[in-house]
Amino acid sequence: MAMDLLSREDTLKDLPRQDVLQVKGSGAAIGAHYVGSEPCRLCHAGSFDEFKLTVMGRLLETGHHTVGGKMECESCHGPGSSHVNAGGGRNDIGTGVIRSFRANDPRSSAADINGICLSCHEKGDRTYWRGSVHQTRGVACTSCHTVMRRTSPRMQMAKGNVMDTCFQCHKDRRAHSVRTAHMPMREGKMDCGSCHNPHGGPHDKMLKEATVNDVCYTCHADKRGPFLFEHPPVRENCLNCHEPHGSMNRNLLTVMRPRLCQRCHTPGRHLGNPALGISSNRYMVNSACQNCHTNIHGSNSPSGRRWHR
């Protein structure tokens, strides 16, 4: 049936024709040429029904133009004449071959797959992809995004949302996210992409801002300052005291108070020193040190040298 369609001049007259394409490692057959998307519908009708529910599927249906011309199946899968003429087939070498995006296909690597995606999607957040942590570790675009099916409300994620997609590899962060104190990720108010750019960036840990503190200040602007009296470890790094991915301590603290404060402030005759006995125990419960030192992130009070107010 596919052969009959190809032989009909009225069907092929509007299909794009390009020169012979040979792409090393891409899976495209040598000498194959472009035939358009219509022959694909004969065997892949079900895939078209799913695909048209996605963003890229709608672009294909409306004839959207890409950097390589009108968007077709072959814009990603490469020239398909050999595949069509052979009646399909995905594992034959040299006969019926077409570019595959399957993770277990030995004919294509993550670099090959990413090269196809980046031919259209290398601007914006993807500018820093080349040389990023994910790129150098062989992560493919298809590891995080599912193009042919609508699996998430936005961004064609491989899982239902950004968080579950990242947790495919970052399983320790999944454990952190279910701890008692956690960022509002499970509630859907933010996700991993709120702080990190998974496609890379000029900053450490793929952060969206230059420092950890600048990332935190995008939401916690009241902690930015400047303050009349600064607390040095706070100004240095929020991670000195907080674990942003989740903690078993209040307010995402890395250690319970007062032990958190006592990592820097060696207890002497100060209230809150357990060595002082029962009389100091009342300063070790509730907010402990912050029962008195309430403005621990910094103070603008003339008498706030010790962050009492």
Side-chain angles (χ1 to χ4, degrees):
M1 189 173 182
M3 294 294 293
D4 292 339
L5 180 61
L6 285 174
S7 65
R8 291 176 55 190
E9 189 64 29
D10 59 337
T11 303
L12 295 177
K13 63 181 180 181
D14 294 325
L15 296 180
R17 296 285 184 176
Q18 297 187 21
D19 294 333
V20 171
L21 177 69
Q22 181 178 357
V23 182
K24 182 179 179 181
S26 69
I30 297 175
H33 58 266
Y34 290 83
V35 297
S37 298
E38 290 308 311
C40 305
R41 295 180 186 271
L42 294 174
C43 296
H44 302 286
S47 297
F48 272 83
D49 290 339
E50 287 186 306
F51 187 45
K52 68 183 181 182
L53 299 177
T54 69
V55 174
M56 290 187 65
R58 291 194 293 270
L59 295 177
L60 184 143
E61 294 291 331
T62 57
H64 180 76
H65 279 267
T66 69
V67 292
K70 180 182 175 183
M71 186 172 179
E72 303 277 5
C73 300
E74 294 161 306
S75 299
C76 299
H77 291 284
S81 62
S82 177
H83 181 71
V84 174
N85 291 335
R90 66 181 186 181
N91 294 319
D92 299 329
I93 302 300
T95 303
V97 172
I98 196 166
R99 184 183 291 120
S100 169
F101 290 86
R102 290 178 290 117
N104 60 350
D105 191 339
R107 292 174 294 127
S108 63
S109 64
D112 297 327
I113 293 172
N114 295 345
I116 300 302
C117 299
L118 291 174
S119 64
C120 294
H121 300 283
E122 198 169 11
K123 295 182 179 180
D125 289 343
R126 278 81 57 189
T127 302
Y128 292 98
W129 172 257
R130 300 185 192 277
S132 68
V133 174
H134 284 158
Q135 188 267 334
T136 55
R137 295 188 179 184
V139 177
C141 300
T142 50
S143 300
C144 302
H145 300 279
T146 301
V147 178
M148 298 300 298
R149 288 177 286 110
R150 188 175 186 270
T151 55
S152 67
R154 297 178 60 248
M155 296 181 289
Q156 295 291 124
M157 305 308 301
K159 299 297 181 181
N161 52 55
V162 173
M163 185 172 65
D164 287 339
T165 299
C166 296
F167 290 163
Q168 292 179 107
C169 296
H170 302 282
K171 300 185 186 299
D172 57 329
R173 300 309 182 199
R174 181 189 293 276
H176 289 169
S177 71
V178 296
R179 291 178 174 175
T180 304
H182 61 272
M183 290 287 191
M185 295 174 62
R186 303 199 318 247
E187 293 77 12
K189 294 182 179 180
M190 62 180 295
D191 55 42
C192 307
S194 300
C195 302
H196 302 276
N197 179 4
H199 300 104
H203 312 306
D204 190 34
K205 303 294 185 182
M206 297 191 289
L207 293 174
K208 286 192 167 184
E209 303 293 340
T211 66
V212 171
N213 284 21
D214 286 338
V215 173
C216 298
Y217 293 156
T218 57
C219 293
H220 304 282
D222 58 314
K223 305 298 190 295
R224 182 188 297 274
F227 295 108
L228 182 62
F229 297 103
E230 304 278 6
H231 193 184
V234 174
R235 297 299 297 170
E236 180 186 54
N237 196 323
C238 299
L239 301 184
N240 286 333
C241 299
H242 299 280
E243 169 49 69
H245 297 101
S247 172
M248 295 305 294
N249 306 306
R250 289 174 57 188
N251 300 323
L252 295 172
L253 294 175
T254 56
V255 183
M256 285 185 64
R257 293 167 293 193
R259 292 195 296 275
L260 175 66
C261 304
Q262 290 170 354
R263 293 189 305 182
C264 296
H265 302 282
T266 304
R269 298 299 299 172
H270 189 277
L271 295 174
N273 182 354
L276 296 179
I278 298 176
S279 62
S280 69
N281 286 349
R282 58 178 171 164
Y283 299 102
M284 299 181 64
V285 297
N286 194 25
S287 295
C289 301
Q290 283 184 262
N291 288 337
C292 299
H293 305 282
T294 54
N295 285 338
I296 204 67
H297 292 94
S299 174
N300 282 320
S301 172
S303 58
R305 182 178 298 276
R306 299 190 184 279
W307 305 290
H308 290 141
R309 61 183 72 186

